[in-house]
Amino acid sequence: MKFRFFTFAISLLGLLGLITMSCDHTKSYAELLTDETRAVNAFLAEHHVVISIPEDSVFQVGPNAPYYRLDDEGNVYMQVLDAGDPDSRPEAGERVYFRYMRYSLFSYVVGGTNVGAGNASDLSTSPSYFVFDELYNSQSQIYGEGLQMPCRFLGWNAKVNLVVKSQMGASSEMSYVVPYLYVISYFKPMV
């Protein structure tokens, strides 16, 4: 009986040791967030960053324009490539169609090949859409709040580079804690 208990105790200790060792190889959520912040900061260090939105909402435009911080927490940064129609902007509850390519900023940091994913290069596919300013709409939750933020400031047919941290990205991907650079164009629904 003592031999069985001893064998059981040794086996249990061995199992606990294996579990502890396997846990040592995974990062905590806080460590993942730190890695994400480092990746975003490394990317933004290569660009001019403005930490506030112009009071008149007139943004510098083009590939050399600065990245504007769109939220107080620094989760979304926008570089305006084309401001779109300044006299016509999306309104709350309106569908906003968009085409995009996105790139992991982790690949940018390590200098690897960064292959984009999205629907911008395949015009045979339908554009994606969200319902503007209705964040609890299931179609809007798919892409997250970050992709909607430029529509608050820019007109239809705008095009931006958008840095989005996981907290403001797709709801299904938040736990992966991957920051993305989106190249995104917004379009009015065709009637």
Side-chain angles (χ1 to χ4, degrees), residues 27-29 32-33 36 166-167 169-178:
K27 291 185 177 188
S28 70
Y29 186 66
L32 293 172
L33 289 173
E36 178 183 50
S166 59
Q167 295 89 342
S171 59
S172 64
E173 298 177 340
M174 280 186 192
S175 63
Y176 300 122
V177 194
V178 176

Side-chain angles (χ1 to χ4, degrees), residues 113-180:
T113 304
N114 202 349
V115 179
N119 63 6
S121 60
D122 185 2
L123 297 180
S124 68
T125 62
S126 297
S128 302
Y129 77 91
F130 54 79
V131 180
F132 181 57
D133 225 13
E134 290 188 9
L135 301 176
Y136 297 105
N137 179 296
S138 61
Q139 190 63 31
S140 295
Q141 288 179 352
I142 291 171
Y143 301 103
E145 183 178 356
L147 267 63
Q148 293 193 30
M149 292 179 93
C151 294
R152 295 180 187 151
F153 309 104
L154 305 174
W156 290 109
N157 301 318
K159 183 175 183 179
V160 299
N161 285 334
L162 198 64
V163 172
V164 180
K165 286 187 176 180
S166 59
Q167 295 89 342
M168 298 296 274
S171 59
S172 64
E173 298 177 340
M174 280 186 192
S175 63
Y176 300 122
V177 194
V178 176
Y180 287 101

Side-chain angles (χ1 to χ4, degrees), residues 10-185:
I10 295 295
S11 297
L12 185 60
L13 286 174
L15 180 62
L16 287 174
L18 284 174
I19 290 171
T20 304
M21 286 189 332
S22 67
C23 290
D24 289 341
H25 297 295
T26 60
K27 291 185 177 188
S28 70
Y29 186 66
E31 290 171 319
L32 293 172
L33 289 173
T34 299
D35 290 348
E36 178 183 50
T37 298
R38 287 180 181 150
V40 169
N41 289 345
F43 176 81
L44 292 174
E46 301 292 323
H47 304 284
H48 178 66
V49 176
V50 176
I51 60 170
S52 61
I53 297 165
E55 288 187 29
D56 56 4
S57 292
V58 176
F59 295 90
Q60 292 180 35
V61 177
N64 296 320
Y67 276 82
Y68 295 92
R69 185 177 72 183
L70 296 186
D71 68 317
D72 292 336
E73 292 80 31
N75 291 317
V76 181
Y77 294 84
M78 170 182 75
Q79 180 185 48
V80 181
L81 300 174
D82 184 336
D85 183 354
D87 298 323
S88 179
R89 294 183 179 177
E91 295 181 18
E94 197 166 17
R95 278 189 182 189
V96 176
Y97 288 89
F98 63 97
R99 291 207 174 267
Y100 71 97
M101 289 299 288
R102 74 177 189 172
Y103 305 88
S104 167
L105 288 183
F106 287 137
S107 295
Y108 173 82
V109 170
V110 298
T113 304
N114 202 349
V115 179
N119 63 6
S121 60
D122 185 2
L123 297 180
S124 68
T125 62
S126 297
S128 302
Y129 77 91
F130 54 79
V131 180
F132 181 57
D133 225 13
E134 290 188 9
L135 301 176
Y136 297 105
N137 179 296
S138 61
Q139 190 63 31
S140 295
Q141 288 179 352
I142 291 171
Y143 301 103
E145 183 178 356
L147 267 63
Q148 293 193 30
M149 292 179 93
C151 294
R152 295 180 187 151
F153 309 104
L154 305 174
W156 290 109
N157 301 318
K159 183 175 183 179
V160 299
N161 285 334
L162 198 64
V163 172
V164 180
K165 286 187 176 180
S166 59
Q167 295 89 342
M168 298 296 274
S171 59
S172 64
E173 298 177 340
M174 280 186 192
S175 63
Y176 300 122
V177 194
V178 176
Y180 287 101
L181 170 66
Y182 285 84
V183 180
I184 186 167
S185 299

